[in-house]
Amino acid sequence: MKKKYSFSILFIFIICTAFGQNITGKIIDSNTGEIISYANIGINEKENSISNEEGYFTLSENGIDDKTSLTISCIGYVVQKITVEDLKKMQNIVKLAPSIFELNEVSVSNKKLSPYDIMANVKANFKTNYPYSSKPKKDLIFFRESNNFKPKILDVEIDKSTGFSKDALKSANAQMASFTSKLKTNPPKHFIDFICNKYSHVTKKDGKNLYVSKMEVMKATKLKDANNAVALDDLEKSTTDIVLKHLDSTKYYRVKSGFFGSRDTISLRKDFNQKKSKSPKNQLTAAKSKLDVFTYSNSISNTSKYDFIHAPENYEYKYEGASFSDQEELIYELSFEPKKSKAKYKGTLYISESDFAVIRADYKLEEGKKLNSLNLKLLLGVKSSENISNGTIIYKKNTIDNGYILHYAAQESGRYLYINRPLKFIELTSGEKDVFDLDLKVEGNSFEKQEYLNINHSESNALAIENIKEKDFNYLQIKKYDPKIWKDYSAIEPTEEMKQFKSID
């Protein structure tokens, strides 16, 4: 009887464990076995997920069972429709069959089109395919961002001080050396994820159009090593915090860097810091701004970034073949590369034959090209340039209005940084001032990657949006990635790098 009872407990435990885990799948090419990145996974024809750059995707536990239908599609492959039960039988590996065929010439309505004819049609139909929609709408969005900084040189040293004793100066420099050594050994990095409902519509105010947006964040996490600075922007603050420990805690100071002073007053006085802490940072406002900036900069209407669409005269285009979309529409595949010096990118465009909409673009900065370069090394001790700019954008037909909407976007950017500047802390007093100087020298590369997934796009109404009361939120601070956190949502499966990242205690 005892054995039978133990077996029952074990059986229940196994069943509960099985149903308590996310279902993760992998999508590969049936011929080559190579991974397929950014394939769309339609879930019960209601929501959409996507495979990550390593070909993996995860299904939420919410409303998912063996009968749940999955439609898996990617340009260049035959659409595959399966159930979750089928996925399990396939050992969670989906093999898509290629559908690309070669075309020496492409003709529409008996007229042969060159790649430049196609690009001309893209421009001619652009406003029709990507119209500004004023309809009230609700978008379920997942957003991910990762940042890290890899310093090559990181030196901070206090040269002189009128307010430091020799022992205090020695102690401060020792702390600086320990701090910078740790940053070089364990480069600062962080990941943030959040999922939200974004509501928007256009109303009238004083006879003018007014864009209104509201956001509800359901879940948000931040994965970082709390012992390291998050980014280069935090380096000066961390340096300041170390220095302040050795200053007179009853005094106020101002920081000056090079020719420029700071308007911010700093101090260790408790009453001063309590006063400043009365205005906590609003996470919702910051998240909304982050999302708005990302969608604006990655909009296909961005003429400077997507000049390979808007300024085709600067690029060379070449046929790479044709395939079908998940709606069985013919898709042209054109590769592009710079023809003129002002062109920056190379990549591939996927263009619908029926309406000449660009439904996908893969791009990367051409080797040797740089963006937004700044060289004030001799004058101000600052030099920077963006030497990495890669990405993918995918558009889908708007289900509630005309044209297309952004379904997925991934953006990876990298910047070289050089800073060689003095920092001076000056006591705020009318009498004799405490002053001390330190030298800050930094050289390295910062990296950022952002991903956006529109899980569901649906119609809303203006009154409901106006009545939404926005609430601030806090990021859940985690020390390592936990898939259970996202079990109820169609989150983008993290890469192996994110899974392996752990905070160092």
Side-chain angles (χ1 to χ4, degrees):
M1 188 72 177
K2 186 177 181 180
K3 289 183 179 180
K4 189 174 182 180
Y5 176 77
S6 300
F7 177 80
S8 299
I9 294 294
L10 179 61
F11 178 77
I12 292 171
F13 174 78
I14 292 172
I15 293 297
C16 290
T17 303
F19 280 96
Q21 294 178 338
N22 293 5
I23 299 172
T24 300
K26 185 178 183 180
I27 305 175
I28 63 174
D29 186 299
S30 63
N31 290 348
T32 66
E34 294 180 353
I35 62 170
I36 300 176
S37 305
Y38 312 134
N40 185 70
I41 299 95
I43 306 167
N44 281 335
E45 299 182 355
K46 294 180 179 179
E47 292 190 350
N48 291 281
S49 188
I50 201 162
S51 61
N52 68 8
E53 62 186 84
E54 296 169 349
Y56 290 98
F57 67 93
T58 297
L59 302 176
S60 74
E61 293 181 18
N62 190 16
I64 298 293
D65 57 31
D66 282 353
K67 301 303 179 183
T68 298
S69 64
L70 306 175
T71 302
I72 302 170
S73 61
C74 186
I75 296 174
Y77 292 90
V78 177
V79 176
Q80 191 168 149
K81 295 186 177 183
I82 60 175
T83 64
V84 169
E85 184 177 19
D86 296 329
L87 180 65
K88 293 176 180 178
K89 290 177 181 178
M90 297 156 63
Q91 297 182 321
N92 292 15
I93 297 178
V94 180
K95 299 178 181 180
L96 294 185
S99 67
I100 291 181
F101 56 89
E102 299 297 326
L103 289 180
N104 293 322
E105 296 175 335
V106 178
S107 62
V108 179
S109 301
N110 298 318
K111 180 181 177 182
K112 294 179 181 178
L113 297 177
S114 72
Y116 298 93
D117 291 330
I118 294 174
M119 293 307 300
N121 277 290
V122 168
K123 289 194 69 175
N125 290 275
F126 193 85
K127 289 185 178 180
T128 302
N129 288 324
Y130 310 101
Y132 177 75
S133 176
S134 60
K135 278 191 175 182
K137 51 189 174 289
K138 172 185 175 183
D139 293 294
L140 177 59
I141 296 168
F142 178 81
F143 185 83
R144 172 172 291 153
E145 179 183 82
S146 62
N147 282 283
N148 70 305
F149 174 63
K150 295 181 179 179
K152 181 179 179 182
I153 297 173
L154 188 54
D155 294 324
V156 183
E157 184 174 359
I158 301 173
D159 296 325
K160 61 181 180 180
S161 169
T162 57
F164 272 37
S165 67
K166 288 184 178 180
D167 288 342
L169 185 62
K170 184 177 179 180
S171 175
N173 275 324
Q175 278 188 282
M176 287 291 187
S178 175
F179 170 69
T180 56
S181 175
K182 186 177 182 180
L183 284 183
K184 285 188 282 188
T185 304
N186 299 293
K189 181 184 297 184
H190 85 223
F191 302 87
I192 67 167
D193 289 347
F194 65 78
I195 192 164
C196 67
N197 281 318
K198 180 79 178 294
Y199 302 85
S200 61
H201 76 107
V202 176
T203 186
K204 291 281 187 180
K205 185 175 183 180
D206 299 328
K208 296 181 180 180
N209 287 335
L210 176 66
Y211 175 76
V212 177
S213 71
K214 300 284 183 74
M215 197 162 105
E216 296 175 330
V217 175
M218 287 90 79
K219 184 151 291 190
T221 63
K222 182 174 289 186
L223 171 60
K224 60 176 277 190
D225 184 352
N227 296 311
N228 281 339
V230 172
L232 185 64
D233 292 342
D234 291 333
L235 180 60
E236 184 175 320
K237 180 181 182 302
S238 299
T239 302
T240 301
D241 289 344
I242 292 174
V243 170
L244 282 173
K245 292 178 182 178
H246 301 273
L247 296 179
D248 191 329
S249 62
T250 66
K251 297 179 179 179
Y252 298 95
Y253 297 86
R254 181 161 289 168
V255 184
K256 184 177 181 181
S257 178
F259 299 114
F260 305 101
S262 168
R263 293 179 179 272
D264 292 332
T265 301
I266 57 177
S267 176
L268 282 186
R269 287 178 58 128
K270 290 184 178 179
D271 57 342
F272 176 79
N273 290 312
Q274 286 173 352
K275 183 179 179 181
K276 293 197 73 173
S277 66
K278 288 183 180 179
S279 301
K281 186 177 180 180
N282 188 305
Q283 298 289 2
L284 181 67
T285 301
K288 281 182 72 174
S289 176
K290 187 185 294 290
L291 199 58
D292 287 341
V293 169
F294 179 83
T295 51
Y296 174 78
S297 64
N298 286 278
S299 167
I300 201 168
S301 298
N302 188 329
T303 56
S304 58
K305 181 171 184 176
Y306 298 111
D307 65 334
F308 46 82
I309 295 172
H310 298 280
E313 65 275 8
N314 296 330
Y315 286 86
E316 296 276 3
Y317 298 88
K318 179 183 176 183
Y319 284 128
E320 296 297 341
S323 58
F324 289 97
S325 70
D326 55 356
Q327 302 298 316
E328 298 185 352
E329 292 180 334
L330 184 67
I331 304 297
Y332 304 139
E333 182 180 335
L334 301 183
S335 62
F336 61 89
E337 62 182 16
K339 180 170 66 175
K340 297 182 180 180
S341 59
K342 61 177 67 176
K344 301 292 187 180
Y345 292 98
K346 65 179 181 181
T348 306
L349 296 174
Y350 299 88
I351 301 165
S352 170
E353 180 263 356
S354 63
D355 54 17
F356 295 97
V358 176
I359 59 174
R360 175 169 171 166
D362 300 321
Y363 64 91
K364 66 184 301 183
L365 199 62
E366 175 69 289
E367 188 174 351
K369 299 281 187 178
K370 295 180 181 179
L371 303 174
N372 306 315
S373 295
L374 173 69
N375 191 350
L376 298 174
K377 189 173 181 179
L378 296 178
L379 181 63
L380 299 176
V382 176
K383 181 179 180 181
S384 72
S385 62
E386 189 174 347
N387 49 21
I388 297 174
S389 180
N390 309 327
T392 292
I393 54 171
I394 299 174
Y395 274 74
K396 280 186 169 292
K397 285 189 175 179
N398 192 337
T399 55
I400 65 170
D401 208 344
N402 299 321
Y404 292 77
I405 62 166
L406 183 63
H407 167 59
Y408 173 80
Q411 172 184 271
E412 184 178 12
S413 58
R415 179 173 290 276
Y416 165 79
L417 299 156
Y418 174 88
I419 301 173
N420 189 357
R421 296 171 66 82
L423 288 177
K424 180 176 288 188
F425 291 74
I426 306 170
E427 181 189 355
L428 294 178
T429 180
S430 58
E432 187 175 350
K433 297 177 174 61
D434 279 351
V435 178
F436 70 94
D437 299 326
L438 61 85
D439 286 324
L440 172 66
K441 187 173 183 180
V442 180
E443 184 176 14
N445 291 278
S446 65
F447 302 92
E448 180 182 71
K449 183 172 182 180
Q450 296 173 306
E451 287 183 280
Y452 165 103
L453 173 64
N454 193 320
I455 299 170
N456 181 262
H457 177 71
S458 59
E459 196 166 1
S460 185
N461 68 79
L463 182 60
I465 294 174
E466 294 289 349
N467 289 332
I468 291 173
K469 304 296 183 184
E470 292 185 307
K471 296 180 181 179
D472 198 15
F473 70 95
N474 291 314
Y475 284 96
L476 175 64
Q477 304 285 339
I478 56 177
K479 293 188 175 182
K480 67 177 183 177
Y481 183 80
D482 183 358
K484 293 179 181 178
I485 292 174
W486 298 101
K487 64 184 181 66
D488 293 327
Y489 303 99
S490 297
I492 300 172
E493 176 72 4
T495 61
E496 194 61 31
E497 177 193 24
M498 186 174 175
K499 291 178 183 177
Q500 296 299 323
F501 181 84
K502 293 181 181 179
S503 175
I504 302 173
D505 294 323

